[in-house]
Amino acid sequence: MASFATLIPLLTITLLSFSCSSQFILPIEKDPLTNLFTTSLNIGTPKHNFNLVIDLGGPILWYDCNKNYNSSTYIPLPCNSNLCSNDAGCISCNGHFKPGCTNNTCGANIINSLVYGIFSGNTGNDVLFISNTKISNILSGCTDSDGFTNNFPLENLPKYSKGILGLARTKLSLPKQLSLSSNKLPNKFALCLPSSKLGRLFIGGVPQKSTFFSKYELTTIPLIINPFSTAPIFTQGEASYEYFIDVKSIKVGGETLNFKSSILSIDNKGNGGTKISTLKNFTVLHSSIYNPLVKAFVKKASDNKIKQVASVAPFEACFDLNTIYRTNTGFAVPTIDLVFDRGMDWKIFGDNSMVLVNKNVACLGFVDGGKEPQTAVVIGGHQLEDNLLEFDLVSSKLVFSSSLLLRDARCSDFKN
Ligand SMILES: *[C@@H]1O[C@H](CO)[C@@H](O)[C@H](O)[C@H]1NC(C)=O
Ligand SMILES: *[C@@H]1O[C@H](CO)[C@@H](O)[C@H](O)[C@H]1NC(C)=O
Ligand SMILES: *[C@@H]1O[C@H](CO)[C@@H](O)[C@H](O)[C@H]1NC(C)=O
């Protein structure tokens, strides 16, 4: 039974293309109540520490500039600046000057995808600090949450989080701005999301000097662009700035699932395809993929004498823990493979596929996205944990490791 989980990916092995400048490394924590991933940054003068939710699909860095916040180094972006290219209007304010209350200021689209909401805010630049390095002239958005009922822009974020660090493919994303600044980092970043304790965000890409990741065989696939925006607000004709990958088929326990594979392609309205999201707890699948996946998983599990028990919402396929063996990559359950061109694949082992719902039961951690989701496969946080993922925007490639447990490590074992 252990054979499922001990397969080591042998296909398409690539070496890391190491970046040559020093990177910025930010800590990542997982919030136990929401399962969201957060980091923290010091912004402004005097320094103010902001806990921010990491959103791979978020277009900007934004934070709460409510009445308790001020910064003497804040400079609003004038409406006529050529950097002010969005459609969020020109903002003015009748109060005393401070971040969030300025005149002739380029509006910011403050997006909180957890409530599919857009809020008004200001664009401005200020200093920020990453591991005590001071970085000037970073453009970000800020919104005064006091101006909304129940601090609506912060809804569904962890209580202590006061904004979102967006990492999408945009001009204003932090990795992109740092790549253009004097640091001349390549426009790349890597995520190692923790299952517990600390993970890391590596701005500039996977660290060059670290031996921690060099023992992994990494797979490189293209990042693809969905020509239709998937954002809550966009200009007609704008492409999506989220990260899509071209999954061609899905296997369970080595067998290809049978479903209409055209939903894995992006159609002429921008629907379908596969994207990666750090705001979803679990991978969300179109029903016509979810149903055969659950069926095949249950069948293969039962072939291996794993006993199915009653469902625990939102999951359907749940199993008696006493009937599941453990391996180095977690529970010994059928491996789920996302298959790309030329036989390349992303193997999802028990540690990433199964969720412990109580002390006796573990469930298949995928959820049903219904019959009409915009995107057919949204790979969520639980499936990304303890995997290294590098988003290389120089060559538009995703480089990934599969489970770090294959070499007996977790993201939290990384030491700077
Ligand atoms: C993620 O899971 C937590 C805990 O199960 C739940 O409270 C939260 O609403 C979920 N969040 C999302 C965005 O689905
Ligand atoms: C915010 O700080 C600036 C610069 O230090 C100061 O001029 C301004 O009056 C302050 N605003 C408020 C509302 O305290
Ligand atoms: C914005 O301009 C108005 C009109 O000139 C002025 O009353 C107000 O104080 C200004 N606001 C700020 C924040 O400077």
Side-chain angles (χ1 to χ4, degrees), residues 92-98 101-103:
S92 54
C93 179
N94 268 323
H96 286 292
F97 179 94
K98 71 181 281 302
C101 184
T102 53
N103 276 332

Side-chain angles (χ1 to χ4, degrees), residues 386-399:
D386 293 321
N387 283 239
L388 175 70
L389 298 168
E390 186 184 62
F391 296 82
D392 175 347
L393 304 181
V394 181
S395 51
S396 203
K397 297 245 155 63
L398 175 70
V399 181

Side-chain angles (χ1 to χ4, degrees), residues 319-341:
F319 304 92
D320 178 351
L321 270 187
N322 295 317
T323 64
I324 315 179
Y325 285 82
R326 310 298 201 275
T327 70
N328 63 328
T329 51
F331 294 118
V333 294
T335 304
I336 297 172
D337 289 357
L338 305 180
V339 183
F340 307 98
D341 247 350

Side-chain angles (χ1 to χ4, degrees), residues 224-230 235-240 244 266-270:
I224 61 174
I225 292 179
N226 182 341
F228 297 85
S229 178
T230 47
T235 314
Q236 197 67 34
E238 198 184 327
S240 174
F244 283 75
I266 295 165
D267 72 12
N268 58 13
K269 296 193 182 89

